């Protein structure tokens, strides 16, 4: 469904597994029609997956064309205003601006080295070199948010509140960070193709531009004002037994509580099943080290109250959580325990990542709504 959406209900079968089929069917059909520059997003092209798509359609809902498919960029970056479908979670979105992050992929080992043998869940201290990778700050179409079943919640950017309650958090819903390879670009003649309260505050239609949505001054002002709290700088990735875990930490700021400083971070985690066997996440095990010298162990059932199943049809699950320390830096690492269909368990490593603070400028002033209290 790299091109098709259900009115008010987005098909949950868009993922990396069926993305390959969707794109190949598009290419075959469109090449035969000899219209490489007019790749229309029509569900009739998806013969390979048509049965699966139709079975996911709610009663009384109809498929609708949302735009014209564009070839994904292998080089370069997408510009502000680029419309896209998320290749894993299937929602409609629009690019606000790019981030150039350092990707620390523990699966990539120099040819001269061999991968060390370690027990699952061990904290590997081997240094990993980062490489530059492009991510995008995007707006999610609110019509699709209720139907992204592979996520624990609609993604949001959270901020610390500007009052005495040091634990109060506020969020701007419908903001996400998307990796370059997860972008399936398309264009549309609709002047308001994305429904989000910030769309018309941040972007305006200009038919003479490509893409035809250009940034307003408010978008640049918001980005500059909140740069420390929005910036994506490091991404950590590791695969264990075909389960890939990606972690993105964000520093949120410092607050004073009971005559001490409390530093806050948000971290976003995606689990992806790269294999064919269905597995279910059962437990989490975290180790949190603070520069103050404390080492905390956290164990519990599932994540954010859920025990997601990772299958070929829905191979990914993503969630966000928060951590606070009474020190300006620290480290986190750990493991997830997953269950196979035969009842056996195995542990999947969470790649170690740093918690680093920045100069604390309270993120106040220009924060356009909507806000949701997470306290």
């Amino acid at each position: 469904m790299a091109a098709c959406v259900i009115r008010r209900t987005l098909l949950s079968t868009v993922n990396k597994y069926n993305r390959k089929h969707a794109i190949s069917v598009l290419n075959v059909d469109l090449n035969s029609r000899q219209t490489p520059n007019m790749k229309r997003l029509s569900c009739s092209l998806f013969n390979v997956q048509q049965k699966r798509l139709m079975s996911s359609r709610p009663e009384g809902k109809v498929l609708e064309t949302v735009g014209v498919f564009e070839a994904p960029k292998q080089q370069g970056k997408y510009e502000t205003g680029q419309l896209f479908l998320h290749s894993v979670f299937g929602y409609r979105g629009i690019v606000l601006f790019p981030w150039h992050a350092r990707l620390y992929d523990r699966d990539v080992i120099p040819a001269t080295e061999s991968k060390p043998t370690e027990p699952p869940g061990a904290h590997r201290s081997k240094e990993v070199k980062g490489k530059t990778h492009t991510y995008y700050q995007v707006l999610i179409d609110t019509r699709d948010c209720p139907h992204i079943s592979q996520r624990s919640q609609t993604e949001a950017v959270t901020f610390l509140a500007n009052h005495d309650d040091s634990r109060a958090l506020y969020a701007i819903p419908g903001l996400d960070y998307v990796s370059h390879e997860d972008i399936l670009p398309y264009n549309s003649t609709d002047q308001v193709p994305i429904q989000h309260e910030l769309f018309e505050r941040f972007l305006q239609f200009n038919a003479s531009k490509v893409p035809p949505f250009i940034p307003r001054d408010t978008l640049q002002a918001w980005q500059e004002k909140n740069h420390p709290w929005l910036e994506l700088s490091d991404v950590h990735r590791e695969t264990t037994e075909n389960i890939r875990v990606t972690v993105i930490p964000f520093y949120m700021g410092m607050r004073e509580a009971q005559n001490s400083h409390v530093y806050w971070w948000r971290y976003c985690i995606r689990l992806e099943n790269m294999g064919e066997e269905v597995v279910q996440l059962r437990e989490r095990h975290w180790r949190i080290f603070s520069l103050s010298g404390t080492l905390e162990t956290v164990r519990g059932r599932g994540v954010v109250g859920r025990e997601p199943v990772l299958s070929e049809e829905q191979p990914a699950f993503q969630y966000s959580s928060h951590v606070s320390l009474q020190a300006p830096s620290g480290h986190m690492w750990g493991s997830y325990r997953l269950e196979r269909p035969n009842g056996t368990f195995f542990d999947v490593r969470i790649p170690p990542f740093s918690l680093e603070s920045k100069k604390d400028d309270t993120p106040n002033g220009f924060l356009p709504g909507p806000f949701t209290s997470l306290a």
Side-chain angles (χ1 to χ4, degrees):
M1 191 200 91
C4 307
V5 295
I6 298 177
R7 184 179 300 277
R8 294 175 58 196
T9 303
L10 190 65
L11 298 175
S12 63
T13 54
V14 175
N15 51 52
K16 288 187 176 178
Y17 168 73
N18 62 32
R19 173 187 173 187
K20 296 183 293 184
H21 298 85
I23 292 178
S24 65
V25 174
L26 273 174
N27 289 339
V28 170
D29 283 23
L30 292 169
N31 288 341
S32 66
R33 294 168 63 186
Q34 296 182 349
T35 55
N37 296 321
M38 292 296 292
K39 303 179 181 180
R40 191 161 184 77
L41 302 188
S42 171
C43 287
S44 63
L45 296 177
F46 292 85
N47 299 324
V48 170
Q49 298 182 72
Q50 191 169 16
K51 183 175 180 181
R52 182 185 302 166
L53 293 176
M54 292 306 178
S55 67
S56 301
R57 184 176 63 187
E59 189 68 28
K61 305 301 180 183
V62 296
L63 298 174
E64 64 177 6
T65 299
V66 297
V68 178
F69 185 79
E70 299 175 355
K73 287 188 176 182
Q74 303 301 318
Q75 304 291 333
K77 62 181 177 64
Y78 296 105
E79 301 296 328
T80 297
Q82 176 65 61
L83 294 167
F84 70 92
L85 292 173
H86 196 294
S87 69
V88 176
F89 299 115
Y91 62 71
R92 288 164 284 184
I94 191 165
V95 171
L96 295 180
F97 45 81
W99 293 110
H100 298 295
R102 297 293 293 173
L103 173 61
Y104 297 91
D105 193 340
R106 305 182 77 84
D107 301 326
V108 178
I109 299 178
T112 56
E113 298 184 18
S114 60
K115 195 168 185 176
T117 301
E118 296 179 337
H123 175 211
R124 195 187 309 168
S125 58
K126 176 180 176 294
E127 182 178 355
V128 178
K129 293 183 179 180
K131 64 177 182 179
T132 302
H133 193 77
T134 302
Y135 277 73
Y136 300 93
Q137 192 94 62
V138 307
L139 290 181
I140 302 173
D141 195 312
T142 56
R143 292 170 293 184
D144 300 334
C145 291
H147 312 292
I148 307 173
S149 61
Q150 305 102 312
R151 305 182 76 140
S152 65
Q153 69 277 320
T154 300
E155 195 57 58
V157 173
T158 48
F159 299 87
L160 291 179
N162 299 318
H163 54 69
D164 294 337
D165 185 354
S166 64
R167 296 182 60 84
L169 304 175
Y170 286 87
I172 302 181
L175 281 175
D176 201 359
Y177 294 83
V178 180
S179 178
H180 183 87
E181 65 267 21
D182 287 338
I183 297 284
L184 294 176
Y186 73 92
N187 60 65
S188 170
T189 57
D190 190 346
Q191 294 190 18
V192 187
I194 300 297
Q195 291 189 14
H196 190 288
E197 291 190 49
L198 295 180
F199 179 83
E200 292 185 275
R201 298 194 200 182
F202 284 169
L203 300 161
Q204 60 183 342
F205 182 78
N206 186 326
S208 65
K209 300 293 185 179
V210 178
F213 304 99
I214 61 174
R216 295 181 183 270
D217 292 341
T218 49
L219 176 58
Q220 182 177 356
W222 180 75
Q223 180 185 7
E224 291 177 354
K225 177 68 178 179
N226 298 288
H227 184 278
W229 328 109
L230 295 171
E231 183 181 16
L232 184 160
S233 56
D234 294 336
V235 179
H236 304 266
R237 179 183 294 166
E238 184 167 3
T239 303
T240 308
E241 297 196 39
N242 289 324
I243 305 300
R244 184 165 70 184
V245 179
T246 303
V247 184
I248 306 177
F250 299 88
Y251 178 59
M252 297 176 60
M254 180 271 292
R255 291 292 180 272
E256 293 186 6
Q258 298 178 349
N259 298 320
S260 65
H261 291 168
V262 179
Y263 298 83
W264 283 85
W265 290 265
R266 176 171 66 95
Y267 55 92
C268 179
I269 294 184
R270 185 198 292 188
L271 296 98
E272 294 178 85
N273 187 348
M274 314 301 290
E276 299 180 356
E277 186 177 46
V278 178
V279 297
Q280 185 170 9
L281 191 155
R282 292 300 192 185
E283 299 177 8
R284 69 189 185 278
H285 176 205
W286 281 108
R287 304 275 280 177
I288 307 170
F289 174 77
S290 171
L291 187 63
S292 63
T294 62
L295 178 62
E296 182 180 2
T297 297
V298 178
R299 292 182 181 271
R301 295 285 297 181
V303 291
V304 291
R306 295 178 62 174
E307 298 180 18
V309 174
L310 305 178
S311 63
E312 284 189 304
E313 289 72 27
Q314 294 191 354
F317 181 81
Q318 185 164 312
Y319 72 97
S320 293
S321 191
H322 301 84
V323 63
S324 63
L325 301 176
Q326 292 186 338
S329 65
H331 288 83
M332 290 181 65
W333 68 94
S335 62
Y336 296 114
R337 176 153 293 184
L338 281 77
E339 184 178 6
R340 299 185 178 94
N342 63 7
T344 61
F345 294 86
F346 65 102
D347 290 337
V348 172
R349 284 184 292 268
I350 303 172
F353 58 96
S354 297
L355 302 172
E356 300 293 343
S357 61
K358 302 176 183 177
K359 180 181 178 182
D360 190 35
D361 296 317
T362 302
N364 54 18
F366 190 73
L367 285 176
F371 296 103
T372 301
S373 176
L374 301 181

